[in-house]
Amino acid sequence: DSGVTQTPKHLITATGQRVTLRCSPRSGDLSVYWYQQSLDQGLQFLIQYYNGEERAKGNILERFSAQQFPDLHSELNLSSLELGDSALYFCASSARALLAGGPTGELFFGEGSRLTVL
Amino acid sequence: QKEVEQDPGPLSVPEGAIVSLNCTYSNSAFQYFMWYRQYSRKGPELLMYTYSSGNKEDGRFTAQVDKSSKYISLFIRDSQPSDSATYLCAMGVWYSGANSKLTFGKGITLSVRP
């Protein structure tokens, strides 16, 4: 158990709809990362938040947005869904506090939310 | 050219075999190198990490990095059925203080036959 909790585990919806995926990071972790995993693209970085602030953006579509709340949980919102958005969405967290000596860079992943768009 | 290329799979080997998994990369800014293992229906978990060129051993696993040639490898000795999983290489860069960015390979699925 990584300590990262993601809900829901499975989600089936229709094209054009909007969904929200939720992530609770490991206790004490300040950074949350969202990744999308598909068979053809592999694990693609979407966005990172650190202590409530957006820190980095990857290949995130404009139809997608995310936020991190004061209690450090994060939500990924996916709107105007298309068939091609069907994928596994992972949240990961890391202890990205300013530690002396530097952290290892390890990410702790949740079990993912499997989104199917019909 | 993608930043990180990983040998395609899947790979099937008999129990006890030595397995070699490889990745190449194009971004010379990568500072640390990792291998993640992902079991079916689970999230990836860190298997090994290293910052420097050379070999690092951990039990039956050896991670090898060659920065001059821009490739990394993971060797698994005496492979076991429990090693059956998808293996993803990952490479990272530190930026803006304590933040880092990891770039993953597409992963290779390994099956170890009893």
Side-chain angles (χ1 to χ4, degrees):
Chain A
D1 184 2
S2 67
V4 177
T5 304
Q6 287 188 250
T7 57
K9 289 194 185 311
H10 300 277
L11 195 53
I12 301 174
T13 189
T15 54
Q17 295 298 303
R18 172 189 169 95
V19 299
T20 297
L21 309 180
R22 182 189 167 102
C23 169
S24 294
R26 291 188 320 157
S27 177
D29 282 357
L30 301 178
S31 266
V32 169
Y33 301 75
W34 285 98
Y35 282 84
Q36 179 192 59
Q37 188 176 42
S38 61
L39 280 174
D40 55 339
Q41 294 294 322
L43 201 58
Q44 297 286 308
F45 169 66
L46 295 179
I47 197 164
Q48 178 210 352
Y49 280 83
Y50 174 80
N51 203 20
E53 293 186 2
E54 181 185 305
R55 279 301 177 97
K57 260 186 174 179
N59 304 321
I60 188 166
L61 300 172
E62 284 193 11
R63 300 183 286 108
F64 296 179
S65 64
Q67 55 184 327
Q68 186 180 29
F69 295 87
D71 67 354
L72 300 178
H73 92 270
S74 178
E75 291 181 357
L76 178 67
N77 301 297
L78 314 175
S79 60
S80 302
L81 285 168
E82 302 175 359
L83 296 178
D85 298 328
S86 296
L88 260 174
Y89 291 85
F90 284 104
C91 168
S93 73
S94 67
R96 286 281 76 80
L98 296 174
L99 302 173
T104 63
E106 178 177 4
L107 297 184
F108 295 87
F109 284 84
E111 295 198 349
S113 292
R114 182 174 294 279
L115 172 65
T116 302
V117 182
L118 300 176
Chain B
Q1 182 187 9
K2 284 199 154 197
E3 273 192 302
V4 178
E5 300 272 7
Q6 186 165 2
D7 284 353
L11 184 61
S12 180
V13 301
E15 184 174 353
I18 296 174
V19 177
S20 171
L21 308 175
N22 306 295
C23 287
T24 58
Y25 62 95
S26 58
N27 186 353
S28 56
F30 286 133
Q31 297 163 301
Y32 59 95
F33 306 87
M34 296 177 159
W35 285 94
Y36 278 77
R37 178 175 60 193
Q38 184 177 14
Y39 289 115
S40 180
R41 303 183 188 282
K42 298 290 186 182
E45 59 178 352
L46 182 65
L47 190 59
M48 295 191 71
Y49 74 90
T50 182
Y51 296 109
S52 55
S53 281
N55 293 349
K56 181 176 181 180
E57 267 191 45
D58 184 1
R60 296 183 295 107
F61 298 89
T62 299
Q64 183 179 81
V65 174
D66 184 337
K67 288 188 178 181
S68 61
S69 300
K70 296 191 181 67
Y71 83 82
I72 71 171
S73 298
L74 178 71
F75 298 97
I76 307 174
R77 291 183 299 281
D78 187 26
S79 56
Q80 302 294 308
S82 58
D83 296 328
S84 298
T86 296
Y87 290 81
L88 302 102
C89 60
M91 305 175 193
V93 179
W94 298 114
Y95 66 91
S96 62
N99 294 288
S100 67
K101 178 189 172 189
L102 268 185
T103 302
F104 285 84
K106 285 180 69 173
I108 183 170
T109 298
L110 170 68
S111 175
V112 181
R113 308 185 302 272

